[in-house]
Amino acid sequence: MTEDSQRNFRLVYYEKMGFRGVEEKKSLEILLKDDLLGILPPHHESHAQVMAYRREQYSDILHALRVIRFLGPSMSQVEVYLRRYQLDSGKLPRSPSFPLEPEDQVFLAIAKAMEEMVEDSVDCYWVIRSFVSQLRKYRDALPLLPKAFEQYLNLEDSRLLSHLKTSSALSKLPNDLWFKNCFAGCLPESSLQRVWDKVVSGSCKILVFVAVEILSTFKIKVMALSSAEKITGFLENFPQDSSGAIVSKAIDLWHKHCGTQAHSA
């Protein structure tokens, strides 16, 4: 088993912060990426107190959202996370009935996936918040990923790319699901963690190679479909049992084409 297959995006940061025990990891989920954002104090002795403050802050904000009637009993947990984040970032709409922005939809998709990875709701919120903040650093790079996908697919399988163009499917691929959502809602948790490991470590280009490997893995099926709608429909809901192998091959492809730091982002 390779090193990549044994790790997930959370363990990288636990190790950077000096945490090794399983119980410590469980209780310190809240500290996942805040260390990268410079929010945590440098001394580990104060981390427990910071965690307590974070929990108190989280409860206070939820109470405020209930008072102004932005939270309701029928809301899902991921919707609660969204309202909390909107208030935290100064983007709470004037009314809870206002339609969601595209960035809100991305947040919800990521939050739903993260909810499956982190048990504690308070910890989960801070992990989501930090992950979304990391994605904002790729604001200029993410729109370029569909073109990079076309470039690398052409290198790996030009015939498959030609079929996508001929069937008019290239412009209708699920790019939002793949690149904006970072495959949240597309890959199962175990595979998603390995992809997000690369994303939070500094390379959003891993998303391109996952997309390339999805096409390569299901080449026979895709080549047999002649309409853009059928191809897109299949790619949005491809069989999950191949996800582990797809991600492993995508990581290998990432190393092949982006082996140096200068080309990894």
Side-chain angles (χ1 to χ4, degrees):
M1 184 177 293
T2 65
E3 180 182 0
D4 282 307
S5 66
Q6 296 176 356
R7 299 161 67 84
N8 63 55
F9 73 100
R10 293 170 293 176
L11 299 185
V12 175
Y13 298 97
Y14 288 131
E15 292 175 2
K16 283 184 179 180
M17 298 178 66
F19 303 130
R20 294 293 187 269
V22 173
E23 291 303 315
E24 288 180 310
K25 290 174 184 177
K26 183 177 180 181
S27 63
L28 292 168
E29 199 79 61
I30 192 173
L31 303 180
L32 171 65
K33 279 179 259 167
D34 289 347
D35 185 53
L36 294 181
L37 300 176
I39 295 175
L40 283 174
H43 303 294
H44 289 185
E45 293 79 4
S46 60
H47 285 177
Q49 186 175 15
V50 171
M51 287 168 55
Y53 287 154
R54 288 288 179 85
R55 290 184 176 278
E56 183 177 353
Q57 179 189 7
Y58 185 84
S59 298
D60 290 343
I61 293 297
L62 290 190
H63 176 70
L65 287 169
R66 292 189 186 97
V67 169
I68 61 177
R69 299 183 179 181
F70 265 80
L71 297 186
S74 62
M75 290 183 68
S76 67
Q77 185 62 54
V78 294
E79 291 174 314
V80 173
Y81 292 145
L82 174 62
R83 293 307 187 191
R84 172 70 175 84
Y85 179 74
Q86 288 176 328
L87 185 60
D88 203 27
S89 57
K91 296 180 179 180
L92 191 69
R94 294 183 180 180
S95 168
S97 62
F98 278 25
L100 296 178
E101 299 290 336
E103 64 183 40
D104 297 330
Q105 299 289 359
V106 172
F107 183 96
L108 288 173
I110 291 171
K112 187 174 181 180
M114 199 74 77
E115 191 178 32
E116 298 297 318
M117 305 179 194
V118 184
E119 293 181 5
D120 184 89
S121 60
V122 179
D123 292 1
C124 188
Y125 169 72
W126 291 107
V127 174
I128 297 165
R129 179 182 180 275
S130 295
F131 186 80
V132 171
S133 295
Q134 178 77 5
L135 289 185
R136 291 172 63 184
K137 298 177 183 179
Y138 299 130
R139 188 176 302 169
D140 295 333
L142 289 175
L144 304 178
L145 296 187
K147 192 65 179 179
F149 162 78
E150 182 179 345
Q151 171 191 345
Y152 287 111
L153 183 60
N154 185 52
L155 291 174
E156 294 299 315
D157 196 324
S158 59
R159 183 166 173 261
L160 184 52
L161 177 62
S162 296
H163 177 70
L164 294 179
K165 291 180 177 179
T166 302
S167 60
S168 301
L170 185 62
S171 61
K172 298 180 181 179
L173 295 177
N175 290 328
D176 286 353
L177 177 65
W178 290 350
F179 305 134
K180 289 185 179 180
N181 292 9
C182 296
F183 289 95
C186 182
L187 294 174
E189 173 193 338
S190 58
S191 299
L192 195 60
Q193 288 183 14
R194 296 170 62 201
V195 175
W196 286 4
D197 178 24
K198 296 298 182 187
V199 173
V200 298
S201 296
S203 177
C204 64
K205 195 173 279 187
I206 183 63
L207 303 174
V208 169
F209 297 111
V210 174
V212 169
E213 283 302 332
I214 289 174
L215 266 297
S216 299
T217 298
F218 298 107
K219 175 180 178 177
I220 296 177
K221 175 67 175 180
V222 172
M223 294 290 285
L225 299 174
S226 58
S227 73
E229 291 73 19
K230 289 182 179 180
I231 292 174
T232 301
F234 173 78
L235 293 175
E236 289 176 340
N237 300 280
F238 63 86
Q240 298 289 296
D241 54 1
S242 301
S243 298
I246 287 172
V247 172
S248 293
K249 292 177 181 178
I251 291 173
D252 290 341
L253 203 59
W254 178 82
H255 283 298
K256 172 185 174 182
H257 291 287
C258 303
T260 61
Q261 186 66 28
H263 300 287
S264 62

